[in-house]
């Protein structure tokens, strides 16, 4: 096999370890303390925020406007309207402001 | 288990999962094509690009991986970078294990391979809706997303240049928009605002002080710490009272 294939397969194993590892560690505990439970419940918001905030910091008007529109859309509609309204804002403003 | 009424059939659950997958498939569409295109640009064959999407199945880390590959970085460093970018999945896995305690071990071992960001977010949304995470629902959600990702990679790598100007069509910023939508889905959870504000501030600071991709894990742990510290020890008003 080529080096490329080895890199890919090693990357696949490394990725799978992250996807099973947290469960394997946590499943060794019989009881979960309420505080840990609260921490686990915070995981989606905490992790997903880190995929937004640094990118927002680097953005200028079109990017920030797109996030504001998407954030407001999230108060009313579902994921699809959030995504489409944010994307439309971004593309239109980038076109107008360049 | 405690429900005496007839549970929904596997076919129903599978279909419900499929329906939830639709917006995800739409959101990742350009990225599958982009990954295929960039993979070909960086010296991957079509087969290699497809192999990577089918076995690694983690978009951001795949983009980082082929970028480094194109720069002829040492193989072990490429693998380490993929691992670092995907390290947040450890947290997903810890939570998802709690949501799927009724699953057979094999179902978890297979199912968690598909635990990408939107898959995990949909699992958590369904928990908030008070519905059980069945294997059939999970599979119905995972299947279209996985098939689309692999197929788009093949199309992107085979045809090349399908994504003309990534900046003009907003491709570099579509994912932050999508992820913001997911963050907002969890605004009903306890301490949501303090958690989000902390994760945002710490991830921004950590990106500058420590660097990418570790700012993701550092920022996330800071937000989780807020939830751990500011939650009362006695379960007075418990959020996730579904399972017990």
């Amino acid at each position: 096999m080529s080096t490329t294939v080895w890199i890919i397969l090693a990357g696949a194993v490394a990725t799978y370890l992250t996807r099973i590892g947290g469960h394997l560690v946590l499943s060794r505990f019989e009881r979960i303390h309420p505080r840990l439970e609260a921490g686990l419940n915070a995981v989606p918001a905490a992790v997903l925020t880190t995929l937004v905030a640094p990118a927002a910091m680097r953005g200028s008007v079109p990017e920030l406007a797109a996030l504001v529109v998407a954030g407001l859309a999230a108060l009313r509609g579902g994921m699809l309207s959030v995504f489409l309204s944010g994307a439309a804002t971004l593309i239109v403003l980038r076109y107008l402001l360049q | 288990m405690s429900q005496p009424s007839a549970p929904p059939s596997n076919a129903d659950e599978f279909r419900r999962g499929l329906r939830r997958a639709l917006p995800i498939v739409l959101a990742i569409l350009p990225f599958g094509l982009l990954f295929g295109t960039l993979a070909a640009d960086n010296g991957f064959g079509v087969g290699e690009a497809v192999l990577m999407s089918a076995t690694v199945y983690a978009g951001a880390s795949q983009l980082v991986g082929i970028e480094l590959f194109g720069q002829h970085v040492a193989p072990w460093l490429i693998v380490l970078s993929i691992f670092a970018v995907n390290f947040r999945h450890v947290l997903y896995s810890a939570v998802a294990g709690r949501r799927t305690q009724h699953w057979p071990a094999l179902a978890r071992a297979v199912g968690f391979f598909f635990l990408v960001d939107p898959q995990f977010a949909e699992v958590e949304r369904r928990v908030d809706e008070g519905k059980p995470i069945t294997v059939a629902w999970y599979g119905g959600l995972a299947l279209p997303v996985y098939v689309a990702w692999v197929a788009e990679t093949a199309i992107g790598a085979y045809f090349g240049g399908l994504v003309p100007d990534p900046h003009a069509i907003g491709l570099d910023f579509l994912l932050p928009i999508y992820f913001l939508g997911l963050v907002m889905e969890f605004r009903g959870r306890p301490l949501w605002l303090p958690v989000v504000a902390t994760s945002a501030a710490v991830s921004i600071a950590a990106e500058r002080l420590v660097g990418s991709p570790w700012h993701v894990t550092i920022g996330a742990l800071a937000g989780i710490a807020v939830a751990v510290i500011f939650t009362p020890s006695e379960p007075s008003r418990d959020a996730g009272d579904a399972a017990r």
Side-chain angles (χ1 to χ4, degrees):
Chain A
M1 280 198 295
S2 70
T3 315
T4 311
V5 171
W6 278 114
I7 293 173
I8 292 169
L9 294 181
V13 171
T15 301
Y16 183 71
L17 288 178
T18 67
R19 287 188 178 146
I20 200 77
H23 164 62
L24 291 182
V25 171
L26 203 68
S27 63
R28 302 179 69 89
F29 294 91
E30 281 277 305
R31 285 182 51 81
I32 302 290
H33 192 275
R35 286 184 193 271
L36 180 56
E37 185 81 53
L40 292 173
N41 278 324
V43 164
V47 177
L48 294 167
T49 297
T50 67
L51 305 176
V52 181
M57 274 302 279
R58 285 190 295 271
S60 66
V61 174
E63 291 79 18
L64 295 177
L67 289 181
V68 170
V69 169
L72 291 175
L75 298 175
R76 305 294 299 268
M79 267 312 297
L80 206 55
S81 61
V82 171
F83 183 65
L84 293 179
S85 64
T89 306
L90 178 71
I91 293 167
V92 168
L93 284 182
R94 274 189 179 174
Y95 178 76
L96 293 176
L97 294 179
Q98 71 182 345
Chain B
M1 278 175 282
S2 58
Q3 292 274 13
S5 59
S9 74
N10 280 341
D12 285 344
E13 283 286 279
F14 188 77
R15 266 195 296 276
R16 284 192 195 110
L18 288 180
R19 267 203 298 276
R20 278 290 183 87
L22 185 70
I24 305 172
V25 169
L26 201 70
I28 66 165
L29 176 76
F31 299 97
L33 296 175
L34 179 70
F35 171 73
T37 305
L38 292 178
D41 285 351
N42 283 285
F44 269 38
V46 176
E48 289 164 340
V50 169
L51 179 71
M52 191 176 200
S53 279
T55 60
V56 178
Y57 188 48
S61 74
Q62 289 178 230
L63 288 167
V64 169
I66 49 155
E67 175 78 27
L68 297 176
F69 183 84
Q71 295 168 17
H72 304 287
V73 169
W76 68 268
L77 203 55
I78 299 177
V79 175
L80 184 68
S81 300
I82 291 172
F83 180 75
V85 172
N86 289 330
F87 195 75
R88 66 185 184 283
H89 295 118
V90 171
L91 296 167
Y92 295 171
S93 157
V95 178
R98 306 269 298 150
R99 312 303 189 207
T100 56
Q101 284 170 333
H102 53 292
W103 286 18
L106 182 65
R108 269 197 300 261
V110 175
F112 285 9
F113 169 81
F114 299 93
L115 199 59
V116 292
D117 298 286
Q119 179 87 19
F120 173 67
E122 289 299 332
V123 166
E124 289 298 279
R125 281 179 67 190
R126 196 167 167 88
V127 167
D128 284 353
E129 290 165 6
K131 295 174 186 159
I133 308 300
T134 60
V135 176
W137 177 85
Y138 188 96
L141 177 66
L143 187 67
V145 182
Y146 181 75
V147 170
W149 180 251
V150 175
E152 288 156 14
T153 300
I155 294 167
Y158 185 78
F159 290 102
L162 278 183
V163 190
D165 180 359
H167 184 79
I169 56 169
L171 208 52
D172 51 310
F173 206 70
L174 286 185
L175 276 184
I177 293 171
Y178 179 72
F179 286 133
L180 175 70
L182 293 180
V183 170
M184 294 293 288
E185 292 290 334
F186 300 105
R187 64 188 185 278
R189 291 198 173 184
L191 296 167
W192 177 81
L193 193 57
V195 166
V196 166
T198 306
S199 288
V202 174
S203 66
I204 288 167
E207 193 189 35
R208 291 191 183 160
L209 300 174
V210 184
S212 184
W214 292 108
H215 69 286
V216 170
T217 302
I218 295 169
L221 288 177
I224 292 165
V226 166
V228 169
I229 292 166
F230 291 100
T231 297
S233 262
E234 285 89 73
S236 51
R237 244 190 71 229
D238 200 6
D241 47 21
R244 33 193 66 232

